[in-house]
Amino acid sequence: MSKLHITTTVNGDATEFLCETGMSLLDVLRDELALTGTKEGCGSGDCGACSVMLDGELVCSCLVLAAEVEGRRVETIEGMAADGELHPLQQKFLEHAALQCGFCTPGFLVAAKALLDVNPDPTETEVRYWLAGNLCRCTGYDKIIRAVLDAAAELRQERASA
Ligand code: FES
Ligand code: FES
């Protein structure tokens, strides 16, 4: 079967790849572009481990066809740290010990950033609802929620003093 030639932007870089028509964005990110920070947990839209941004919208990359990203903008966990500096969310996850494995964490970070992009001052309840689609199998959610709220406070402070 002939492959599709896709031109897109990934983490700000112009990117091209070849894919089969049925390949998911998740498969292309991991297997063709070597961006293995995005994880496959379920492959069916239930766990959030594969979360990425597509034109500024949070999506499960396991449910997006790779061909759909033609001409669009994809952001993955690899694009979150900038200029060698961790994003405040990443820093707060470390400080609050909000992770135990690397499997769910990238998805939580991408999803939390998507929340703070649209709601810089969320309540705890809003954070819990927003992250309800991200499953963690090995820790409690409390540290994750605290880390997100703390990062939100830091980002607000940064903006206020900018
Ligand atoms: S791998 Fe996509 S939602 Fe679980
Ligand atoms: S810390 Fe890995 S599944 Fe939650």
Side-chain angles (χ1 to χ4, degrees):
M1 199 187 346
S2 67
K3 292 192 171 185
L4 300 170
H5 176 230
I6 304 297
T7 304
T8 186
T9 303
V10 179
N11 297 328
D13 295 327
T15 303
E16 297 175 62
F17 59 83
L18 297 174
C19 67
E20 313 279 356
T21 49
M23 270 179 102
S24 70
L25 174 59
L26 174 64
D27 287 339
V28 163
L29 289 172
R30 292 185 56 81
D31 301 337
E32 304 294 325
L33 303 179
L35 293 170
T36 55
T38 304
K39 300 294 190 272
E40 178 167 12
C42 63
S44 55
D46 294 311
C47 75
C50 65
S51 299
V52 301
M53 302 294 282
L54 182 58
D55 286 345
E57 295 286 329
L58 184 63
V59 296
C60 292
S61 60
C62 70
L63 298 183
V64 175
L65 288 173
E68 290 182 75
V69 306
E70 170 68 35
R72 300 174 75 184
R73 184 167 44 91
V74 180
E75 291 159 74
T76 71
I77 186 66
E78 284 86 354
M80 192 176 268
D83 302 324
E85 295 266 328
L86 291 179
H87 186 279
L89 276 162
Q90 294 171 306
Q91 188 59 44
K92 293 301 180 187
F93 266 58
L94 286 175
E95 289 174 18
H96 287 269
L99 64 158
Q100 289 181 19
C101 81
F103 229 80
C104 64
T105 305
F108 270 107
L109 287 167
V110 170
K113 182 171 181 299
L115 168 64
L116 300 189
D117 284 350
V118 295
N119 181 359
D121 192 6
T123 64
E124 178 179 333
T125 302
E126 286 172 329
V127 176
R128 286 186 185 276
Y129 271 102
W130 185 274
L131 296 179
N134 291 79
L135 305 184
C136 169
R137 296 159 179 83
C138 53
T139 185
Y141 292 90
D142 285 352
K143 292 175 181 175
I144 292 168
I145 305 303
R146 279 202 292 277
V148 174
L149 290 169
D150 200 7
E154 182 170 311
L155 282 162
R156 288 196 302 277
Q157 209 169 18
E158 277 178 18
R159 273 188 216 111
S161 57

